[in-house]
Amino acid sequence: MFRRRSPEDEQAPRASTALLDEQQRDPQAPKGRPTPKRSEAQSARRKSATTPTDRKSAAKQAREARRVDLAKQREALAGGDERYLPARDKGPVRRFVRDYVDSRYRVAEFFLPLAVVILILSIVGSLQNLSLLLWLVVIVGIVVDSIVTVVLLRRQLRTRFPDKNTKGTTAYALMRSLQMRRLRLPKPQVGRGSNR
């Protein structure tokens, strides 16, 4: 405990520290480098222009980033670029559902124009009974077409994507079929009558 060290014992710690100095360290590692002085760290932080110093400039930078992201999403919705689509439209399953809905005429996509015609007919006194009958025919047609679409779509999804998550795809298809084809986003990528 209190004895004198031999020359061999003194050489062992020096050799291990020399060996440690020779080893290369990861520059991102938290240990193995001296902690910078506070003044150095603060000047490095000031030099990095990525973080704004006041609240106004931070809000302005966030608005600008959000505007760029929304512009990319708008372009993707118009062109169908998968990288920038919103999360609800991404993936091969959602693409198939969009193409499936867009490949056929759907009764629901004509609902808005038909509703305008029916409302005009209901204003005319002598055609009110006809307008009520047309409402009934349109609603029954939409319900029947939606049921057929859901059944056939589920069958197609089971055969084409047996191991993928298809949760929410039928609601996605029904919401897309309710929109007029010209107003659908992402824009239709297939023509009517294509084999889907």
Side-chain angles (χ1 to χ4, degrees):
M1 184 162 153
F2 295 109
R3 68 184 174 97
R4 194 171 197 177
R5 289 189 178 190
S6 68
E8 297 165 357
D9 291 340
E10 289 180 6
Q11 293 295 330
R14 288 183 189 155
S16 64
T17 57
L19 182 65
L20 287 175
D21 289 340
E22 290 174 8
Q23 291 177 350
Q24 291 184 349
R25 292 195 177 265
D26 181 15
Q28 297 296 322
K31 300 292 183 186
R33 62 180 187 271
T35 304
K37 293 182 180 177
R38 178 180 288 191
S39 59
E40 293 171 357
Q42 286 175 346
S43 65
R45 259 187 261 130
R46 282 191 204 110
K47 286 180 185 176
S48 69
T50 57
T51 56
T53 55
D54 62 337
R55 205 179 79 170
K56 268 189 173 179
S57 60
K60 184 178 179 182
Q61 189 176 11
R63 268 195 312 273
E64 184 66 26
R66 192 169 40 252
R67 189 187 63 76
V68 168
D69 288 342
L70 288 175
K72 284 182 182 178
Q73 275 190 0
R74 254 192 314 272
E75 289 174 19
L77 288 171
D81 188 5
E82 286 276 333
R83 293 175 296 172
Y84 301 113
L85 285 176
R88 65 169 184 164
D89 296 319
K90 281 186 180 177
V93 176
R94 296 297 172 115
R95 175 181 279 281
F96 174 77
V97 171
R98 285 194 304 271
D99 293 346
Y100 183 82
V101 170
D102 295 337
S103 66
R104 291 174 183 77
Y105 284 100
R106 307 287 171 193
V107 177
E109 70 183 277
F110 300 109
F111 175 72
L112 287 176
L114 288 173
V116 170
V117 170
I118 292 171
L119 285 174
I120 291 171
L121 289 176
S122 68
I123 293 173
V124 178
S126 61
L127 299 175
Q128 285 182 347
N129 290 336
L130 179 65
S131 67
L132 288 175
L133 182 65
L134 280 175
W135 272 121
L136 182 64
V137 168
V138 167
I139 290 172
V140 169
I142 290 173
V143 169
V144 169
D145 185 47
S146 298
I147 290 171
V148 169
T149 300
V150 166
V151 169
L152 294 177
L153 178 64
R154 283 184 180 166
R155 188 179 303 157
Q156 289 280 333
L157 287 173
R158 274 194 301 259
T159 57
R160 290 183 187 236
F161 304 101
D163 57 339
K164 296 268 186 179
N165 182 13
T166 59
K167 185 177 181 181
T169 53
T170 53
Y172 182 71
L174 291 177
M175 290 305 294
R176 188 163 178 88
S177 68
L178 279 171
Q179 298 168 344
M180 290 170 42
R181 183 180 170 90
R182 212 175 329 146
L183 303 177
R184 291 177 184 164
L185 290 176
K187 296 284 185 194
Q189 301 293 319
V190 296
R192 294 199 197 268
S194 64
N195 296 332
R196 278 283 170 187

